[in-house]
């Protein structure tokens, strides 16, 4: 927690000498990754995966390490296995978070069509969570899917006391799609929406413009 992975590695090694424990082994592999010892971390996580191939957290860490090594196909495969894997605690939320992380990675490597698919699934799995929907709509914009983003923004805008972000997002995407009357409608509403007045002057000026 103090950002000293070297000390963590020594302490975790000592702990495992006393007693073998799966969660401690995972923490050790994480510490190795944080220390920049990527190949050791990959080897450690791979060994853990061999004994528990469907473990969600192990596959997630392998996906992140593969992404750091620019092994795109391998990273995507590990992310997908993590989605299909087993999770302790709230597996529903963990899988949603992994799906959004996968979508973010796909956007970073410009695989926009695949990212869009993951985002639409995530949106369908979180119908009553405005904050998540707002995040998904923003990511859909990043993968050049303005029409899908506009649909989500408009749904959010229908709610009681919608946020200025939802209204501004609807206006922005409508404008990008050439729907100027609709864009004016939502951008005008954004000026008077909850939270707008507390935004930085530059943000307010951009919406007014």
């Amino acid at each position: 927690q103090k950002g000293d992975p070297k000390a963590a590695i020594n302490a975790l090694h000592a702990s495992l000498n006393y007693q073998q424990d799966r969660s401690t082994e995972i923490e050790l592999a994480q510490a190795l990754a944080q220390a920049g010892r990527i190949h050791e971390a990959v080897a450690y996580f791979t060994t853990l995966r061999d004994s528990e191939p469907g473990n969600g957290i192990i596959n997630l860490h392998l996906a992140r390490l593969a992404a750091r090594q620019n092994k795109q196909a391998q990273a995507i495969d590990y992310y997908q296995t993590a989605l299909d894997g087993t999770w302790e605690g709230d597996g529903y939320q963990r899988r949603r978070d992994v799906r959004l992380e996968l979508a973010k990675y796909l956007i970073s490597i410009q695989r926009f069509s695949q990212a869009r698919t993951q985002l639409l699934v995530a949106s369908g799995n979180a119908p009553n969570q405005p904050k998540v929907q707002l995040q998904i709509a923003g990511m859909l914009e990043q993968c050049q899917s303005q029409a899908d983003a506009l649909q989500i923004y408009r749904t959010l805008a229908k709610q009681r006391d919608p946020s200025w972000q939802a209204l501004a997002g609807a206006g922005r995407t409508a404008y990008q799609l050439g729907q100027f009357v609709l864009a004016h409608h939502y951008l005008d509403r954004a000026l008077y929406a909850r939270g707008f007045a507390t935004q930085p002057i530059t943000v307010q000026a951009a919406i007014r413009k």
Side-chain angles (χ1 to χ4, degrees), residues 139-190:
M139 293 175 71
L140 282 166
E141 286 189 77
Q142 292 178 45
C143 62
Q144 303 175 3
S145 188
Q146 278 77 12
D148 294 309
L150 175 58
Q151 185 175 348
I152 294 175
Y153 284 132
R154 294 190 72 179
T155 299
L156 292 172
K158 292 177 183 177
Q159 297 180 347
R160 182 179 179 181
D161 191 25
S163 68
W164 74 270
Q165 294 99 323
L167 294 166
R172 181 174 58 249
T173 48
Y175 182 86
Q176 291 167 348
L177 292 167
Q179 300 182 38
F180 302 124
V181 174
L182 191 64
H184 181 277
H185 168 73
Y186 282 117
L187 291 169
D188 187 56
R189 286 180 62 191

Side-chain angles (χ1 to χ4, degrees), residues 45 49 52-65 74-75 77-83 85-87:
F45 274 123
R49 186 179 186 272
E52 200 174 351
N55 184 293
I57 189 67
I58 292 172
N59 281 286
L60 175 59
H61 282 296
L62 282 168
R64 290 170 176 171
L65 288 167
Q74 196 175 72
D77 286 343
Y78 280 131
Y79 272 122
Q80 193 61 57
T81 304
L83 278 172
T86 56
W87 293 87

